[in-house]
Amino acid sequence: MTILPMTRRTVSALALAAMTASMGLPALAQTPPGVLVVGQIAEPKSLDPHAVTAVNDFRILMNVYDGLVRYKSGTLEVEPALAESWEISEDGTEYTFTLREGVAFHDGTPLTAEAVKFNFDRMLDESHPFHDTGPFPLSFFFSAIETTEAVDERTVKFTLNAPYAPFLSNLAYPTGLIVSPAAVEQYGADFGRNPAGTGPFKFAEWRSNEAVVIENNPDYWDGAAELEAVVYRPITDANTRTAEMLAGGIDLMVEVPPNALSEFEGDAYTVHEQAGPHVWFLILNAKEGPFADVKVRQAANYAINKQAIVENVLEGTAAVAAGPTPPAFAWAYNETLEPYPYDPEKAKELIAEAGVEGAELTFYVTEGGSGMLDPVPMGTAIQADLEAVGFDVKIETYEWNTFLGEVNPGLEGKADMAEMAWMTNDPDTLPFLALRTEAWPDKGGFNSGYYSNPKVDELLEAARISTDQDERAALYQEMQEIVQEDAPWVFVANWKQNAVTAAGVEGFELQPSFFLLLDGVSKN
């Protein structure tokens, strides 16, 4: 597909702006009206929503695709999208959706119940002819689906193997976005470079390490967007992203470094902030090495001065985390938990009891990434704190997608600890995918530190099938107490997300989901 002429000129202008910014010169070109240029934190891994896990990718995908349902703006409450209505059986195991009439994918093919069935069968059925276009790492979200049935052209029914409380919320997550079966059939494993959805913008071009461009879909079922196009530029270094914003090379910057916020005061910019369900933590290798001992994992939590990181590195843009569940999930959060205090003497005592004084630790740190805040300075501060209690810490730093390629398959044989951040849609998501025994990497999950506690497994399984929110809350709160005591992670921070927009950008709002929704944005 050919890029819009205006957008092609935009990309050239951006290259010039980047050059002048790097030379410390005033910007020679501003971005044109109607084209929003977004400074992303990294190159996307793929534009196939079923194949990715990072919010960095979701920020593009949510503008190209729709799901059956979506989050109501400003909330994590579910509302209709491609499905105009749905019914749930009394026993909570059947969900029947009625699709909107007349919706088409960007390639011109119609949205039908068979198309919806194709999407879920592709992820979940190993015998499906296009299952090999994966892997689909978050298909966990839909593991409760027993069958997907196209009842008629506009009716699709999901039958679950048990009641599953997060089902609707998971359908609103990017893993539930609906892709064009015809495009998958045409491009196969290359669909992620040739996407087609039903969203307010359609794919135009992907220039590796330079830009992903999407253009206005004038036939969008929910009303055409105001922007002509959006250009997503991967700018990994936060300081470079800041310089580009100040030079006029980008219109919207996500994840502004705390020390740069003061540069965007005044009428030329608007700083946006929004609390959301975020947790920044260190994965500890509980399978081998020093952190196989719970005392050493607890010692790491005592050794790291998390308050200093929040105040000095993050400059007050986050709060110290007390456990694996973000406080943004107020109904499920255990308010009785207090963060591990900074107590290096207690840490030394536990390390001595475990007999691991002077142990060497390999620590994986990322240069940037979705929700990773200021990962290199944070990693350096953590290294200093751990060395102060007697560890010998070696940092290995990786680009974000390379980092995920090292961490997600598991730390065994490679590292003792790794930075990580998750932004989730339901209190079930993170612990179910990253703390259960059945979520070890060799079983398809993200429990990269190999934590295992049968009681935690039991609580999480019970919370999934309960249809009573108070009961679910009690189960999650008990889980949090056990996990905090077992310390499979160092619980570091809960972040308040931010972004900055240039003058002339109107209608932009951050979402608690951490997605960038741009169909209501305009730019003069």
Side-chain angles (χ1 to χ4, degrees):
M1 189 179 293
T2 304
I3 189 172
L4 288 170
M6 176 179 287
T7 308
R8 187 179 295 281
R9 290 198 301 271
T10 299
V11 173
S12 299
L14 294 172
L16 182 58
M19 183 185 302
T20 57
S22 66
M23 297 171 62
L25 300 174
L28 299 180
Q30 299 295 313
T31 63
V35 177
L36 187 77
V37 185
V38 179
Q40 287 271 89
I41 60 175
E43 176 88 341
K45 181 179 180 181
S46 171
L47 297 181
D48 180 347
H50 305 156
V52 295
T53 64
V55 169
N56 181 65
D57 300 355
F58 298 164
R59 287 172 174 145
I60 302 174
L61 298 173
M62 293 302 291
N63 296 288
V64 176
Y65 301 92
D66 297 299
L68 294 174
V69 296
R70 64 189 179 191
Y71 299 126
K72 185 178 179 180
S73 182
T75 77
L76 290 174
E77 299 173 14
V78 170
E79 68 175 10
L82 291 179
E84 62 184 18
S85 63
W86 61 88
E87 295 180 358
I88 306 172
S89 65
E90 286 189 15
D91 66 358
T93 62
E94 291 184 357
Y95 287 70
T96 305
F97 294 85
T98 300
L99 303 180
R100 294 185 187 277
E101 193 169 5
V103 177
F105 291 102
H106 299 149
D107 56 14
T109 58
L111 171 74
T112 63
E114 285 291 348
V116 174
K117 175 177 167 60
F118 176 100
N119 274 253
F120 291 91
D121 287 353
R122 173 188 177 226
M123 282 190 281
L124 299 171
D125 182 0
E126 293 183 2
S127 66
H128 190 272
F130 293 93
H131 183 75
D132 62 0
T133 57
F136 308 113
L138 294 185
S139 59
F140 261 115
F141 277 30
F142 305 115
S143 58
I145 295 176
E146 202 164 72
T147 61
T148 305
E149 178 186 353
V151 178
D152 57 40
E153 190 168 276
R154 291 181 53 213
T155 308
V156 61
K157 181 171 78 172
F158 297 93
T159 301
L160 311 185
N161 55 26
Y164 176 43
F167 186 60
L168 282 174
S169 180
N170 285 357
L171 285 175
Y173 206 67
T175 314
L177 294 172
I178 304 300
V179 310
S180 163
V184 173
E185 291 167 358
Q186 179 178 354
Y187 294 106
D190 291 329
F191 171 74
R193 301 284 302 203
N194 301 275
T198 60
F201 295 90
K202 52 188 178 180
F203 175 70
E205 186 173 23
W206 182 348
R207 302 168 112 179
S208 293
N209 299 309
E210 185 178 345
V212 170
V213 184
I214 58 177
E215 61 188 25
N216 186 286
N217 173 16
D219 301 319
Y220 185 49
W221 62 268
D222 202 21
E226 296 193 40
L227 293 167
E228 293 180 40
V230 181
V231 179
Y232 296 88
R233 292 187 53 208
I235 307 173
T236 302
D237 181 73
N239 292 325
T240 304
R241 219 161 47 245
T242 300
E244 285 276 12
M245 190 75 204
L246 293 169
I250 56 179
D251 306 303
L252 166 61
M253 173 183 173
V254 296
E255 302 192 23
V256 184
N259 61 4
L261 284 170
S262 61
E263 299 190 55
F264 298 108
E265 295 176 350
D267 295 339
Y269 305 98
T270 301
V271 175
H272 307 262
E273 292 185 328
Q274 166 74 52
H278 168 278
V279 60
W280 198 104
F281 57 98
L282 300 180
I283 305 170
L284 304 179
N285 185 342
K287 189 175 186 180
E288 61 185 5
F291 293 129
D293 189 327
V294 65
K295 291 181 179 179
V296 186
R297 299 197 299 270
Q298 292 172 344
N301 274 279
Y302 285 116
I304 295 169
N305 191 342
K306 297 174 283 291
Q307 190 64 42
I309 290 173
V310 164
E311 292 178 359
N312 301 329
V313 179
L314 302 179
E315 300 194 16
T317 59
V320 174
T325 299
F329 293 127
W331 65 270
Y333 182 65
N334 190 330
E335 295 183 348
T336 67
L337 293 183
E338 294 289 337
Y340 274 84
Y342 174 52
D343 191 342
E345 293 308 312
K346 177 69 171 176
K348 290 177 184 177
E349 179 184 319
L350 290 168
I351 290 166
E353 288 179 14
V356 295
E357 300 98 324
E360 296 181 358
L361 303 177
T362 299
F363 179 19
Y364 282 176
V365 170
T366 179
E367 296 172 354
S370 302
M372 292 306 301
L373 311 184
D374 213 350
V376 174
M378 292 175 77
T380 302
I382 288 165
Q383 177 190 39
D385 285 345
L386 291 175
E387 291 189 335
V389 297
F391 289 118
D392 180 6
V393 183
K394 175 190 174 185
I395 286 180
E396 294 184 14
T397 306
Y398 298 93
E399 177 273 332
W400 176 236
N401 286 317
T402 304
F403 176 83
L404 292 179
E406 292 289 337
V407 174
N408 286 347
L411 300 183
E412 184 178 9
K414 297 183 293 187
D416 299 286
M417 54 193 292
E419 297 179 339
M420 188 51 66
W422 276 62
M423 296 168 278
T424 60
N425 62 315
D426 188 275
D428 170 81
T429 306
L430 175 56
F432 195 83
L433 295 183
L435 287 172
R436 286 182 313 125
T437 306
E438 289 299 309
W440 282 24
D442 62 347
K443 299 174 183 177
F446 294 89
N447 187 348
S448 299
Y450 317 97
Y451 171 63
S452 178
N453 185 310
K455 183 60 176 177
V456 168
D457 296 344
E458 176 187 322
L459 291 167
L460 289 172
E461 293 290 351
R464 287 201 128 196
I465 63 174
S466 172
T467 55
D468 184 295
Q469 182 163 293
D470 291 340
E471 182 182 2
R472 289 185 75 204
L475 293 166
Y476 289 131
Q477 288 164 9
E478 185 179 353
M479 175 274 296
Q480 291 165 56
E481 291 179 4
I482 297 170
V483 170
Q484 191 199 49
E485 178 70 18
D486 284 349
W489 304 337
V490 175
F491 313 104
V492 179
N494 302 121
W495 173 59
K496 181 184 289 186
Q497 63 170 321
N498 61 35
V500 62
T501 52
V505 176
E506 298 179 355
F508 174 76
E509 295 180 359
L510 284 171
Q511 300 293 326
S513 61
F514 293 91
F515 306 149
L516 290 184
L517 305 181
L518 302 178
D519 53 318
V521 174
S522 62
K523 180 188 155 196
N524 299 321

